[in-house]
């Protein structure tokens, strides 16, 4: 009998493939994920998109909390985000049978990383988009002209950068120390970044890609 204080993840990594996609705000995670979905049949789950949908869901008890966190570039308590991701994975698997997931913009804090791998599914690797702040800032301000996002403005962007450096980079460093990071330079145009992404992922994942 396994010890009772140790939980088993909901999904086995032998059965379900999870890639965490990380990078600063504006690094291009969503753009690259869309291409990977197109070419390799992943299901794309953006933690930020799931939180925004939950924020707008009538009757959600977390609406105001999520709204405040997003505006301030702060991290929503992990229980909320982990539960949304687990539900989205379950719904996807039962609706489509697809078991390959890109989890975009998560985990952004060490506690989330540990919790998710313990209760949901151990990740295969972290795909990390590395980008200088000046480049990300330019992209976010450009996106802010049309995105309608409450956090694509100068003040929120500054707070998001700070959270990224202080709270999210340690997550990347943690996985890097375990040799689980595939790092891609996100400065060039999207096609070039995608080409590098494909080469590097193929090398590591082979036919699991
Ligand atoms: N967020 C969070 N936990 C997560 C992911 C996102 O609290 O695991 C919140 C956080 O406030 C973040 C915001 O959602 O600043 C927007 O995240 P998103 O991933 O959409 O931003 P991106 O990095 O893609 O610009
Ligand atoms: Mg995004």
């Amino acid at each position: 009998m396994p010890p009772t204080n140790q939980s088993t993840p909901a999904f086995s990594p032998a059965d379900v493939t999870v890639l965490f996609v990380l990078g600063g705000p504006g690094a291009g995670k969503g753009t690259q994920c869309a291409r990977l979905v197109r070419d390799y049949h992943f299901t794309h789950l953006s933690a930020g998109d799931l939180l925004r949908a939950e924020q707008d869901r009538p009757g959600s008890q977390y609406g105001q909390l999520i709204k405040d966190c997003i505006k301030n570039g702060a991290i929503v308590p992990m229980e909320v985000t982990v539960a949304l991701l687990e539900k989205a994975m379950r719904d996807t698997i039962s609706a489509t049978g697809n078991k390959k997931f890109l989890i975009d913009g998560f985990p952004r804090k060490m506690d989330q990383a540990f919790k998710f791998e313990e209760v949901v599914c151990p990740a295969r690797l972290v795909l990390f988009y590395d980008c200088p702040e000046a480049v990300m800032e330019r992209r976010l301000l450009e996106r802010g002209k049309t995105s309608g996002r409450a956090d694509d403005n100068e003040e929120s962007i500054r707070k998001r950068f700070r959270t990224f450096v202080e709270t999210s980079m340690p997550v990347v460093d943690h996985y890097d120390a375990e040799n689980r990071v595939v790092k891609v330079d996100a400065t060039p145009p999207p096609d070039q970044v995608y080409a590098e992404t494909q080469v590097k992922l193929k090398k590591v994942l082979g036919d699991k890609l």
Side-chain angles (χ1 to χ4, degrees):
M1 285 281 278
T4 47
N5 63 346
Q6 212 176 331
S7 63
T8 309
F11 306 109
S12 158
D15 188 36
V16 171
T17 302
V18 167
L19 309 190
F20 289 147
V21 183
L22 295 178
K29 302 179 293 289
T31 302
Q32 297 302 321
C33 283
R35 292 164 190 234
L36 290 166
V37 166
R38 180 193 65 198
D39 295 341
Y40 302 102
H41 307 291
F42 283 97
T43 293
H44 176 216
L45 299 178
S46 156
D49 289 349
L50 289 170
L51 287 167
R52 282 183 283 273
E54 175 65 17
Q55 170 194 300
D56 296 336
R57 188 175 63 82
S60 169
Q61 53 177 316
Y62 302 116
Q64 193 58 46
L65 170 72
I66 293 172
K67 198 172 192 164
D68 293 342
C69 285
I70 287 183
K71 180 121 191 132
N72 290 312
I75 312 281
V76 174
M78 67 171 173
E79 288 76 10
V80 177
T81 317
V82 171
L84 289 172
L85 285 167
E86 180 172 357
K87 177 174 189 311
M89 288 174 69
R90 274 187 202 291
D91 290 350
T92 301
I93 292 171
S94 64
T96 70
N98 188 12
K99 294 178 176 178
K100 288 170 67 182
F101 295 94
L102 296 170
I103 305 221
D104 161 2
F106 178 95
R108 281 170 135 89
K109 196 175 171 187
M110 279 312 302
D111 65 352
Q112 295 180 327
F114 289 134
K115 191 77 184 173
F116 183 92
E117 293 203 292
E118 183 195 333
V119 306
V120 185
C121 187
R124 177 66 183 79
L125 55 78
V126 173
L127 180 56
F128 173 53
Y129 287 104
D130 190 23
C131 196
E133 233 170 67
V135 175
M136 296 194 287
E137 182 177 22
R138 205 180 321 125
R139 290 176 184 172
L140 290 171
L141 290 173
E142 190 56 36
R143 184 174 81 181
K145 291 177 187 169
T146 55
S147 70
R149 273 180 54 160
D151 59 351
D152 283 345
N153 59 78
E154 260 177 79
E155 194 186 336
S156 294
I157 290 168
R158 207 169 335 111
K159 292 177 177 169
R160 289 157 75 194
F161 283 158
R162 200 185 160 111
T163 300
F164 176 69
V165 171
E166 291 178 354
T167 310
S168 306
M169 265 319 283
V171 175
V172 178
D173 295 339
H174 162 79
Y175 285 109
D176 198 27
E178 293 183 347
N179 276 320
R180 293 165 73 189
V181 174
V182 171
K183 179 168 144 178
V184 175
D185 178 7
T187 316
D191 285 345
Q192 200 177 319
V193 175
Y194 186 55
E196 189 183 338
T197 300
Q198 285 178 292
V199 169
K200 289 191 167 167
L201 279 183
K202 274 182 196 150
K203 203 180 282 175
V204 178
L205 293 176
D207 60 5
K208 274 226 155 195
L209 181 60

